[in-house]
Amino acid sequence: MKSTCIKQVKARQIFDSRANPTVEVDIILESGIIGRGLVPSGASTGKFEAIELRDDDISKLSGKSVLTAVRNVNEIIAPQLIGKDVLDQAALDHLLIELDGTPNKARLGANGILGVSMAAAWAGANAENIPLYRYLGGANARMLPVPMIQIIGGGKHAGQTIDIQDYLVIPAGANSFSEAIEMVINVYHATRKVFIERGKPISVADEGGFWPTFVSNTEGLDLLVAGIEKAGYRPGEEIAIALDIASSHFYQDGQYCFALENRKMTPEEFADVLVSWVNKYPILSIEDGMAEDDWDGWKHLSAKLKSRIQLIGDDLFVTNVDRIQQGLDKDVANGVLIKPNQIGTITETLEAIEFTKNAGYLPIISARSGETEDAMIVHLAIATAAGQLKVGSVARSERTAKWNEGLRIEEQLGASGIYPGKALYRRILNTR
Ligand code: PGA
Ligand code: ZN
């Protein structure tokens, strides 16, 4: 038997950064080499995502245990994978899709399936004795991502104290990945000082960004601009602002409802609010500005902003080629958030990235709000030359696990590494 053939597949329940159960899978090869995949988990999930299987037994871990998903890996998937060559990632992933047999991985669970797929990729890279970004991306994989980093949390990641979910920065004006991270670290600490000066309590939300105690959603934008300036950068020049509105979560009966401001808006009115923010603040990117099923709202927003800023679909596209195709047909958005657990296998994730790039849209590889110490997504971003990576903040180890891995890879690439910076956005925008 070939040394890269799978000898054993072992899943177990572990815990994520929010103290919730999640799946971990080990794949052990004939050679004894191991690959391990740790599966992340969202809180602000889109309704079209692949199914994350939880036991729903309220007597155990508030119903969140994942023992069925673990059992499905150990009892149904594992026997089918024994003896297969781990280097054939696409064939393994297609076998997983077939074994599940549903369009959204509802039978075996996308969490268990992704754990297997990730473990296989890590095992393949370990067996070949090359970094994962090279294993998945080949010899020319050398573009580091522009980071998109949360400074202030909100929405479902901060007890719904404000409506907007993420206030982030994009250090597009940096000259390298390490300079970009250093700039954001400076903004993070400077924003902390601004919070203290303005009498705001210091605490952090789920992804390590500051906890908001605001009277309006725009207060976060004012604070962020103050933080960027206090750190010594020109907002919009060196560091731009990005927002994840996550508007699916406050869209009800055809209206967008800001609970904080006690305000209800039609899709057109809400699009106008976002346009007024883009006019006033140095915003380079808005994610989920409109809800996951409000295609008409998306058309309004896209007609107004598509040529001026990056418009990302997260809940809208859910890393699903069919939904991205619908976006192209309707000419909405120009960016696609890519989260492996929204679709369930590495192969389908790679397909979604490729599809996005071929369409002339920008992919943004993304973590989830519930994360682990697994750093696969930074390798994925570099393997595919995706150009952007979103991982929450620059605090908390499940976040820094990714940024620090990026720093190591940058060092490894040396002079051959590329940081795309502002040039990346010229691919989609008319004005920059
Ligand atoms: P989630 O949020 O991981 O909680 O779904 C992240 C996002 O909306 O981008
Ligand atoms: Zn989002």
Side-chain angles (χ1 to χ4, degrees), residues 6-11 71-83 96 99 116:
I6 296 174
K7 190 174 171 190
Q8 201 190 342
V9 180
K10 173 96 190 81
R71 211 178 313 115
N72 288 345
V73 173
N74 289 336
E75 293 174 10
I76 300 173
I77 293 174
Q80 301 295 323
L81 295 195
I82 309 295
L96 295 171
L99 279 173
V116 175

Side-chain angles (χ1 to χ4, degrees), residues 77-373:
I77 293 174
Q80 301 295 323
L81 295 195
I82 309 295
K84 299 267 185 319
D85 191 344
V86 85
L87 299 183
D88 203 348
Q89 181 81 34
L92 291 178
D93 285 343
H94 281 116
L95 181 58
L96 295 171
I97 294 165
E98 262 173 45
L99 279 173
D100 175 79
T102 69
N104 58 356
K105 319 234 171 12
R107 188 172 90 89
L108 299 178
N111 40 355
I113 291 175
L114 181 66
V116 175
S117 186
M118 289 171 77
W122 279 117
N126 293 343
E128 298 279 78
N129 200 21
I130 50 174
L132 185 61
Y133 68 90
R134 274 278 146 80
Y135 177 67
L136 293 175
N140 201 34
R142 60 201 174 91
M143 187 193 279
L144 290 141
V146 176
M148 187 184 282
I149 299 185
Q150 188 197 74
I151 304 296
I152 303 167
K156 281 191 183 285
H157 301 157
Q160 214 63 58
T161 34
I162 57 169
D163 304 290
I164 304 301
Q165 184 179 287
D166 291 301
Y167 298 79
L168 314 102
V169 290
I170 301 179
N175 295 306
S176 67
F177 179 77
S178 47
E179 192 189 355
I181 297 294
E182 191 173 321
M183 285 162 74
V184 179
I185 295 276
N186 289 333
V187 171
Y188 186 81
H189 289 293
T191 306
R192 190 175 194 281
K193 285 188 192 137
V194 174
F195 266 58
I196 292 168
E197 281 165 14
R198 300 193 184 181
K200 303 217 165 280
I202 298 295
S203 176
V204 296
D206 284 4
E207 298 189 354
F210 297 112
W211 183 278
T213 46
F214 302 159
V215 293
S216 71
N217 289 291
T218 49
E219 196 184 346
L221 285 163
D222 293 323
L223 276 158
L224 194 48
V225 169
I228 294 169
E229 284 172 345
K230 196 176 185 67
Y233 303 111
R234 284 166 299 162
E237 280 302 312
E238 284 136 325
I239 301 190
I241 290 178
L243 295 172
D244 183 358
I245 308 289
S247 67
S248 306
H249 305 286
F250 55 82
Y251 178 66
Q252 284 154 8
D253 306 322
Q255 297 221 297
Y256 291 86
C257 311
F258 271 171
L260 180 64
E261 297 164 28
N262 202 7
R263 215 169 142 198
K264 283 194 172 153
M265 292 156 277
T266 64
E268 291 86 342
E269 285 166 350
F270 191 56
D272 286 339
V273 166
L274 297 179
V275 171
S276 73
W277 292 0
V278 171
N279 291 339
K280 183 162 178 213
Y281 298 97
I283 295 170
L284 174 57
S285 180
I286 294 182
E287 178 178 334
D288 283 348
M290 292 286 155
E292 59 205 342
D293 35 22
D294 184 14
W295 289 104
D296 286 341
W298 268 101
K299 276 195 209 165
H300 278 295
L301 188 69
S302 300
K304 288 181 170 150
L305 289 181
K306 198 175 178 327
S307 62
R308 294 180 62 193
I309 63 165
Q310 175 170 256
L311 288 179
I312 305 172
D314 170 15
D315 292 348
L316 181 72
F317 294 137
V318 292
T319 315
N320 183 318
V321 167
D322 295 337
R323 297 213 31 112
I324 302 167
Q325 180 65 57
Q326 282 187 60
L328 297 180
D329 294 342
K330 296 185 165 74
D331 194 26
V332 304
N334 53 23
V336 178
L337 208 74
I338 301 284
K339 292 166 165 170
N341 78 329
Q342 283 182 328
I343 191 73
T345 63
I346 297 299
T347 300
E348 288 164 290
T349 306
L350 292 169
E351 281 165 4
I353 297 167
E354 196 59 26
F355 189 85
T356 300
K357 289 171 86 176
N358 289 340
Y361 281 27
L362 295 182
I364 304 92
I365 312 299
S366 173
R368 299 305 306 238
S369 49
E371 266 296 334
T372 74
E373 53 273 35

